[in-house]
Amino acid sequence: MPVVPAKEKMTKFKPERTTSNSFASAIIPSGAISRMAIYLRELQQLQRSGIDTINSSQLGERLGFTDSQVRRDLGAIGAVGRRGVGYSTSQLCQTIRSAIGTDRDWNIALVGMGNLGQALAGYRGFETQGFRLVAAIDLDQAKVGKKVGKLTIKSIDQFDSVVARTPIQLAILAVPAEVAPDVAERLAKSGVLGILNFAPTNVRSPKTCIPVIDVDMAIELQRLAFAVVNQEASR
Amino acid sequence: MPVVPAKEKMTKFKPERTTSNSFASAIIPSGAISRMAIYLRELQQLQRSGIDTINSSQLGERLGFTDSQVRRDLGAIGAVGRRGVGYSTSQLCQTIRSAIGTDRDWNIALVGMGNLGQALAGYRGFETQGFRLVAAIDLDQAKVGKKVGKLTIKSIDQFDSVVARTPIQLAILAVPAEVAPDVAERLAKSGVLGILNFAPTNVRSPKTCIPVIDVDMAIELQRLAFAVVNQEASR
DNA sequence: TGATGTGAAAGCGTTCACAGCG
DNA sequence: CGCTGTGAACGCTTTCACATCA
């Protein structure tokens, strides 16, 4: 039997984007989100260099993506370019920010002030993307009260009162793996909406049903080792 | 760009691979590699708890994967389970390690001893996966000669002589974004086979054609922000 | 009996190729 | 003319469903 293309216009949801602040409940490929952040990083560099227009192949070439993929990604968030010209870098930055939700500020608590926590506290590059470190927490009473940058380390027991004063949407979890799931649950209970988890363990559970993004250095090294053994290109 | 169909294969796989245990060469889905590392982490925890057998649904449930996916992944690296029973945790650890290449040791140079570099130097969890920090490098002459743990910080100019003494396969790049591409190129020239890049910039170039895995905290936070706004579950 | 292992189907994301438009 | 925007093809990944076997 021949396949008859009973072609029907299968309309996918279009992002419905008029200006930079409209509501876009589009289905954005999850892999595209990471790329959005990469585009944004590159566009900001371009802006600093005074370049205010770029086309899909140039942008793709700089990052190792195809022009086609760049256009798809940008199209998915409703970015519009000028045919024959390209995209406006500043406009594109705006559109991407509003698509991934970083056109507003996010308050962050840093939980766990060991080596990694302290390094993260000193990390520039959060603020420039609209992330503000507003609290530093540790489980160890010995560390409570000490200063890290402008922040005074608080106990986890003080967390609720901290949240009462300053709303905190996100938490960076940098505590030992043994206690990470418990702490994560506690944070979720206190109203934290998402966790960036540096502990090398799974902190998801029915009790902690908020989004979690994991960053595990050992896992990344393992991916690298595999890529090396297999002579893979990456990204 | 799409005019000339000079079809070139972009960033894709190199299928042919032989595990050191069996003779079965398998094509491992790239996404599966990250999961392998996650399986491994969980299996090691299970082993420590004295559990020596696990089936695909139990393992999947702990990590948020379907049983079906677990079996496919494990099948791809030639792991064998016992029908009606499950997989041997210790055997599975072995098989995964040999599949991703961490059944042998990897020597690592840590390049950039700022906040993050120093935190990484103190990070436990590399060694347990067969990664050995054997050199600490910084660009700042003021830091050269200082000790970080058991390592003495060396200048980047001494890198070649360090490699001559101790072969170094991987580098962790934790230098400022401005200098990262140059340093990456230099490392590749010195024979480093792969780079774990913490600098928030693209270090890939025709001159640096070794595998690179990027870890950008700001990007991960942006992914998290997106997940929160879209009420997504993660992983 | 209870799990594995795996064809086949379904689902997604990427790339192709070109119409459309400034 | 050059580049965007996008159906359609393609190919990879996941899920389904069940034969298979200790």
Side-chain angles (χ1 to χ4, degrees):
Chain A
M1 268 302 192
V3 181
V4 182
K7 184 131 63 144
E8 196 180 338
K9 196 156 178 226
M10 226 175 69
T11 25
K12 211 166 26 168
F13 282 133
K14 284 280 296 291
E16 185 71 43
R17 161 168 302 290
T18 36
T19 48
S20 49
N21 212 10
S22 71
F23 208 82
S25 183
I27 300 163
I28 305 177
S30 69
I33 298 302
S34 313
R35 286 194 297 273
M36 292 299 168
I38 296 171
Y39 295 141
L40 183 56
R41 202 175 63 185
E42 193 70 16
L43 288 164
Q44 287 167 336
Q45 270 184 37
L46 287 168
Q47 261 187 314
R48 262 179 262 123
S49 311
I51 296 167
D52 50 44
T53 299
I54 191 158
N55 65 42
S56 57
S57 24
Q58 289 169 330
L59 184 53
E61 204 166 315
R62 282 170 164 268
L63 300 169
F65 305 139
T66 65
D67 57 330
S68 183
Q69 176 147 68
V70 172
R71 288 198 301 280
R72 269 271 184 251
D73 286 345
L74 299 183
I77 57 170
V80 285
R82 282 209 312 231
R83 298 182 192 225
V85 182
Y87 302 84
S88 145
T89 52
S90 60
Q91 216 176 79
L92 211 40
C93 283
Q94 271 310 313
T95 308
I96 292 175
R97 276 210 208 86
S98 101
I100 60 184
T102 51
D103 52 345
R104 45 192 167 297
D105 275 357
W106 294 82
N107 287 342
I108 302 187
L110 184 46
V111 183
M113 299 305 297
N115 275 331
L116 184 59
Q118 293 193 22
L120 291 170
Y123 186 60
R124 320 263 148 263
F126 290 149
E127 294 85 17
T128 59
Q129 302 299 343
F131 297 107
R132 293 190 311 190
L133 229 56
V134 297
I137 307 285
D138 202 284
L139 304 183
D140 182 2
Q141 283 298 336
K143 282 188 186 143
V144 173
K146 293 195 175 172
K147 282 237 161 192
V148 174
K150 290 173 199 160
L151 298 172
T152 304
I153 298 177
K154 298 273 166 70
S155 148
I156 184 87
D157 298 316
Q158 299 170 266
F159 191 66
D160 282 318
S161 68
V162 171
V163 172
R165 217 170 312 128
T166 315
I168 291 177
Q169 293 88 39
L170 306 179
I172 298 178
L173 192 57
V175 301
E178 300 80 56
V179 297
D182 282 347
V183 176
E185 188 188 328
R186 204 153 167 185
L187 293 170
K189 229 171 237 161
S190 298
V192 166
L193 300 176
I195 293 175
L196 186 62
N197 173 42
F198 282 88
T201 193
N202 180 26
V203 298
R204 290 168 188 77
S205 87
K207 296 190 154 191
T208 311
C209 50
I210 57 176
V212 177
I213 298 283
D214 296 295
V215 181
D216 184 327
M217 330 263 190
I219 286 181
E220 301 307 323
L221 269 179
Q222 287 170 57
R223 294 210 300 142
L224 182 61
F226 179 81
V228 167
V229 170
N230 288 280
Q231 309 283 24
E232 261 178 35
S234 43
R235 192 190 282 164
Chain B
M1 171 68 164
V3 186
V4 185
K7 185 138 134 208
E8 197 183 341
K9 209 173 178 200
M10 286 223 52
T11 313
K12 278 298 142 181
F13 244 110
K14 255 256 189 104
E16 197 67 26
R17 150 146 239 305
T18 310
T19 56
S20 44
N21 243 1
S22 66
F23 192 67
S25 83
I27 301 161
I28 306 177
S30 68
I33 297 304
S34 314
R35 287 195 297 273
M36 291 300 166
I38 296 171
Y39 295 141
L40 183 57
R41 203 177 62 184
E42 193 71 17
L43 288 165
Q44 287 168 336
Q45 269 183 36
L46 288 168
Q47 260 187 314
R48 263 179 262 123
S49 312
I51 296 167
D52 50 43
T53 299
I54 190 159
N55 66 41
S56 57
S57 23
Q58 291 170 330
L59 184 53
E61 205 165 314
R62 285 171 164 268
L63 301 169
F65 306 137
T66 65
D67 57 334
S68 184
Q69 176 149 68
V70 173
R71 289 198 301 280
R72 269 271 185 250
D73 286 344
L74 298 183
I77 57 169
V80 285
R82 282 208 312 229
R83 300 185 189 222
V85 182
Y87 301 85
S88 145
T89 52
S90 61
Q91 214 176 79
L92 210 40
C93 284
Q94 270 312 311
T95 308
I96 292 175
R97 275 209 209 86
S98 100
I100 61 183
T102 51
D103 52 345
R104 44 193 167 298
D105 276 355
W106 293 83
N107 288 342
I108 301 187
L110 183 47
V111 184
M113 298 306 296
N115 275 330
L116 183 59
Q118 292 192 23
L120 292 170
Y123 185 60
R124 318 264 149 263
F126 290 150
E127 294 84 18
T128 59
Q129 301 300 342
F131 297 107
R132 295 190 311 191
L133 228 56
V134 297
I137 307 286
D138 202 284
L139 304 183
D140 182 1
Q141 282 299 334
K143 282 187 187 144
V144 173
K146 293 193 175 172
K147 282 236 160 192
V148 175
K150 289 175 199 158
L151 297 172
T152 304
I153 299 177
K154 298 272 167 70
S155 147
I156 182 85
D157 297 318
Q158 300 171 265
F159 190 67
D160 282 319
S161 68
V162 172
V163 172
R165 216 169 313 128
T166 316
I168 292 177
Q169 292 87 39
L170 307 178
I172 298 178
L173 193 56
V175 300
E178 300 79 58
V179 297
D182 281 349
V183 176
E185 187 187 328
R186 202 152 167 187
L187 293 171
K189 228 171 238 164
S190 298
V192 166
L193 300 175
I195 293 176
L196 186 62
N197 174 42
F198 283 87
T201 193
N202 180 26
V203 299
R204 291 167 187 77
S205 85
K207 295 189 153 187
T208 311
C209 49
I210 57 176
V212 177
I213 299 281
D214 296 294
V215 181
D216 185 326
M217 330 264 189
I219 286 181
E220 301 307 323
L221 270 180
Q222 288 170 58
R223 295 209 300 143
L224 182 61
F226 179 82
V228 167
V229 170
N230 290 53
Q231 308 284 24
E232 262 177 31
S234 41
R235 191 190 283 166

